Amino acid sequence: MDKYGDPLSGWTKLTVERILACGTCLMSVHRYCCTLSDCTRARFFCHICESKAYSRCGLKASEQWIAE
């Protein structure tokens, strides 16, 4: 982009940023903790981008939509 300018649309940039952040803490995280008072275990699940432009997420989102 530095060499040839900025030919990409805003949507394209956003999509690429979401794909790069997919499955990381940048997409936000859900934390699940044990309900026992003396237990300190927790599991963290990073969100996915659900972008149709990303084959891994787009396929999953499409399958969920069809199932519903």
Side-chain angles (χ1 to χ4, degrees):
M1 287 174 53
D2 291 336
K3 186 174 181 180
Y4 298 107
D6 190 5
L8 301 175
S9 69
W11 182 87
T12 302
K13 289 179 189 177
L14 178 64
T15 301
V16 171
E17 288 172 0
R18 290 185 71 191
I19 289 171
L20 293 174
C22 185
T24 69
C25 295
L26 296 172
M27 293 297 293
S28 79
V29 177
H30 265 102
R31 181 179 74 160
Y32 295 92
C33 300
C34 184
T35 58
L36 300 175
S37 60
D38 60 341
C39 183
T40 59
R41 291 186 300 169
R43 302 259 338 225
F44 296 89
F45 295 94
C46 298
H47 291 207
I48 60 172
C49 67
E50 298 181 6
S51 172
K52 291 180 179 78
Y54 188 31
S55 60
R56 185 179 91 179
C57 294
L59 177 63
K60 184 176 180 179
S62 295
E63 288 174 349
Q64 287 176 346
W65 179 78
I66 291 168
E68 291 174 4

